[in-house]
Amino acid sequence: MTQAFDIVIVGAGMVGAALATGLGREGFSVAMVDRAPAPGFDPDSAPDIRVSALSAGSERYLQSLGAWNHILGMRATPYRRLAVWDETRHPLSNLLPRTSNQVEFDANRLNTSHLGHIVENSVTQQGLWQAAEAESSVTILAGNGVTGITKTGEQAIVALENGAQLSAPLVIGADGAQSRVRDMAGIGVTRNQYGQQAMIISVRYQGPVQDITWQGFHPSGPRAFLPLYAAGSDHPGESRASLVWYDSPEEIVRLKSLSSEALMAEIQQAFPAELPQLTHIEDRASFPIARQHAKHYSAGRIVLVGDAAHTINPLAGQGVNLGFQDAQCLQSILKEARRAGRDLADASVLANYEAQRRPANRRMMYAMDAFYHMFSNQIPPVHLLRNLGLGAARALPFARNQVARYAMGIDDGLPVVIRQLTARLPGLNQL
């Protein structure tokens, strides 16, 4: 027996669950399918090692979906300041102009209460599932993988592992960077593997929860601090944070093999002095870094959102924010298509979505790759460019605020200061 829906969404992570909720609120009948079971939340558990820096724009979107209060009821940490600085010193640095190597973005200068929130991915997903469950037109089919998608006239038929079938005019692939839906649609990708890997480390540190997230750039790669929440009565006077350490694959393998005590000692020595005193390592994981972009965002009755369509260098934690922007855009376009009585999978409808989102996603890829190329080498001209760029951003509040507003999702145009500083870097126009 085949169940009929307006839309089938494959993938119930953060972006898929957000889009299912938003479409359900617009009156579409939606099936949300995922092989994984429903996410859970234990307030006494250690934090999820996967965290994201949700922008102000994403926060507004989650509020509109009814998910933000669920998230705040679990765990979310606002950050009011964002600092970036260059810890590299080139052998010829004494010949370069002396410029400040640190830039700080402050919510007060932007007349806002905070720049964003650091939230565990599982918490964001749980809040969105709760919002989706509140929509009567959304059906959640957890624990079901997709075995195939076929086209029959004006419908797509989605076959599940349990033998059930779902039909809908449109199937949305929100199933991540290794998207099976994308493969089933025959959509290829362009992919660039970076020379670094990222190690994520959940830690406890001495002192109150900090209101700043920072990133220091080193010759081997960035090192970042993302504050989380107070550790609780079991660990009085301590707070939790997520650290990110970018380095060569060989060095990451070595670091992962260390005991907690040895790793903690290396972190305190290798990270900037701004890192508070660590007391415990709770978890660690690593992953390769790659930029990936689908050659097309749609094919037939299938369209892609989030990591299924694009992945970027995670330097500023913007991946999920881009995914939420995809979801908002597609939701708006599908709502208008239905109002006009058009097929949801009409080629011009889906082309409109790609025309809006591909340039925006490419701009963020451009910005993140620019930072990667500028800070991941010590070529003298690029080192000079980097120092001049940080100095200019520090000296010119307008330029600094442009960058902050872009990262917060307030403005969606690539800041002029980034365009000017990176216009001559090789390879960036191929994104």
Side-chain angles (χ1 to χ4, degrees):
M1 184 175 179
T2 301
Q3 291 180 271
F5 297 90
D6 294 327
I7 296 167
V8 173
I9 298 177
V10 181
M14 294 182 286
V15 174
L19 187 51
T21 304
L23 290 169
R25 288 194 155 210
E26 297 291 353
F28 290 95
S29 62
V30 180
M32 184 170 70
V33 182
D34 201 296
R35 178 179 280 113
F41 173 72
D42 180 358
D44 297 322
S45 67
D48 183 357
I49 197 166
R50 302 166 304 157
V51 304
S52 295
L54 299 184
S55 68
S58 292
E59 180 181 332
R60 289 193 301 271
Y61 178 48
L62 294 171
Q63 285 175 333
S64 75
L65 298 177
W68 189 243
N69 284 340
H70 294 308
I71 292 169
L72 293 181
M74 289 180 280
R75 297 192 287 234
T77 302
Y79 61 95
R80 297 171 178 83
R81 295 176 294 146
L82 166 65
V84 180
W85 62 85
D86 184 6
E87 293 282 344
T88 63
R89 296 300 294 165
H90 190 270
L92 300 179
S93 59
N94 61 323
L95 302 178
L96 300 175
R98 290 187 176 274
T99 57
S100 171
N101 70 343
Q102 182 165 338
V103 180
E104 183 173 303
F105 305 92
D106 193 317
N108 289 333
R109 297 193 185 104
L110 294 169
N111 297 317
T112 185
S113 62
H114 56 277
L115 299 177
H117 280 77
I118 308 297
V119 188
E120 299 154 69
N121 288 3
S122 59
V123 168
T124 301
Q125 184 188 17
Q126 171 72 2
L128 283 162
W129 272 56
Q130 291 179 38
E133 288 168 346
E135 300 299 324
S136 60
S137 60
V138 176
T139 300
I140 300 176
L141 300 171
N144 282 279
V146 173
T147 60
I149 302 174
T150 57
K151 179 181 175 182
T152 304
E154 296 182 351
Q155 298 287 311
I157 306 299
V158 179
L160 305 184
E161 289 174 342
N162 64 1
Q165 290 190 331
L166 313 174
S167 70
L170 182 66
V171 176
I172 299 174
D175 52 339
Q178 306 303 319
S179 171
R180 294 191 65 210
V181 171
R182 186 182 63 227
D183 292 342
M184 291 174 186
I187 299 174
V189 299
T190 58
R191 181 178 174 85
N192 179 52
Q193 189 81 36
Y194 297 103
Q196 296 173 330
Q197 290 190 3
M199 184 173 179
I200 312 299
I201 311 157
S202 290
V203 300
R204 294 201 307 267
Y205 64 90
Q206 195 67 43
V209 178
Q210 298 200 7
D211 71 346
I212 186 170
T213 179
W214 49 254
Q215 192 152 216
F217 288 89
H218 297 251
S220 59
R223 294 163 199 172
F225 169 83
L226 296 86
L228 291 173
Y229 54 92
S233 58
D234 291 343
H235 308 285
E238 295 183 2
S239 300
R240 286 186 162 104
S242 180
L243 307 182
V244 189
W245 187 335
Y246 295 77
D247 219 306
S248 68
E250 297 77 18
E251 179 65 3
I252 294 298
V253 168
R254 185 189 73 83
L255 292 170
K256 285 181 68 177
S257 71
L258 297 176
S259 68
S260 292
E261 292 74 17
L263 177 59
M264 193 155 55
E266 291 225 14
I267 291 170
Q268 292 283 184
Q269 183 175 8
F271 269 61
E274 285 79 0
L275 183 70
Q277 183 64 42
L278 303 185
T279 60
H280 187 73
I281 289 178
E282 297 187 306
D283 201 359
R284 65 185 86 173
S286 66
F287 56 89
I289 304 170
R291 167 173 43 80
Q292 182 173 281
H293 210 174
K295 294 182 178 179
H296 308 284
Y297 283 9
S298 66
R301 295 193 171 276
I302 295 174
V303 64
L304 307 176
V305 296
D307 284 355
H310 47 78
T311 61
I312 66 172
N313 194 311
L315 274 176
Q318 291 297 314
V320 70
N321 295 313
L322 286 183
F324 286 149
Q325 291 168 23
D326 289 350
Q328 287 180 277
C329 178
L330 185 57
Q331 177 184 324
S332 176
I333 286 172
L334 294 178
K335 176 184 176 181
E336 177 59 26
R338 182 183 59 179
R339 187 197 64 78
R342 303 177 69 186
D343 184 345
L344 297 181
D346 185 280
S348 63
V349 171
L350 300 184
N352 184 21
Y353 161 68
E354 181 160 357
Q356 293 187 44
R357 290 307 306 155
R358 180 175 286 275
N361 291 327
R362 188 186 290 121
R363 284 195 296 271
M364 184 60 79
M365 288 180 169
Y366 183 96
M368 293 304 101
D369 261 38
F371 278 112
Y372 176 81
H373 285 286
M374 287 171 68
F375 287 99
S376 295
N377 65 75
Q378 295 197 55
I379 301 171
V382 178
H383 193 272
L384 172 61
L385 183 67
R386 165 167 94 224
N387 278 335
L388 291 175
L390 284 174
R394 185 175 187 274
L396 301 173
F398 176 72
R400 181 173 64 239
N401 291 348
Q402 268 193 319
V403 175
R405 291 175 66 85
Y406 180 61
M408 291 169 64
I410 297 172
D411 295 337
D412 60 6
L414 191 65
V416 173
V417 66
I418 295 179
R419 291 204 306 269
Q420 291 176 339
L421 289 171
T422 62
R424 298 182 182 273
L425 288 179
L428 295 183
N429 58 354
Q430 303 300 317
L431 298 178

